[in-house]
Amino acid sequence: MCYGTELTSNAVLAWCGDVGVEWHYIAPGKPTQNGCVESFNGRMRDELLNETLFFTIGQARSILARWVDDYNTERPHSSLGYATPAAFAAGLEQQRAGLTPPVASPALMRDNTGRSLVAAG
């Protein structure tokens, strides 16, 4: 029996139709249209899905939930300045609430008197 990607894709599309999930395609040759998701999916596939055999839906949900929790709360991400997503989000919330200064310092006031700072001539 053959279980190629075409058959898997057809099965996923059929399931989506059965349960009412809307399916959106990324244009062929354009994985950068959704780079964050592509990166996350690759990491999850390499670190979890390729190495784990699930026997029940409940077991899969439990293992996936633990992996996602670890990914979001324990693992620093270089794209977030080596903070965890949870810590980064908490910092953004503190900024919005005015509890911490913004990341960038305010611009310095310029001398707007109209005088030239360099001697001409």
Side-chain angles (χ1 to χ4, degrees), residues 3-44:
Y3 294 107
T5 55
E6 312 83 32
L7 294 176
T8 304
S9 295
N10 288 336
V12 169
L13 285 174
W15 176 82
C16 287
D18 291 346
V19 297
V21 171
E22 206 172 308
W23 192 263
H24 297 278
Y25 291 97
I26 294 174
K30 305 277 185 183
T32 56
Q33 287 178 344
N34 206 355
C36 289
V37 172
E38 291 293 319
S39 175
F40 175 80
N41 287 346
R43 186 151 295 142
M44 179 182 259

Side-chain angles (χ1 to χ4, degrees), residues 37-98:
V37 172
E38 291 293 319
S39 175
F40 175 80
N41 287 346
R43 186 151 295 142
M44 179 182 259
R45 184 174 40 256
D46 291 343
E47 297 176 9
L48 178 69
L49 300 177
N50 288 345
E51 299 180 0
T52 310
L53 181 61
F54 303 107
F55 293 102
T56 66
I57 293 291
Q59 179 199 27
R61 286 182 177 145
S62 173
I63 291 171
L64 287 166
R66 282 195 310 254
W67 187 88
V68 168
D69 183 60
D70 176 69
Y71 186 86
N72 288 326
T73 61
E74 301 296 328
R75 186 184 305 193
H77 296 254
S78 61
S79 63
L80 302 176
Y82 294 96
T84 65
F88 187 80
L92 289 178
E93 286 303 317
Q94 286 183 342
Q95 249 184 336
R96 286 188 190 113

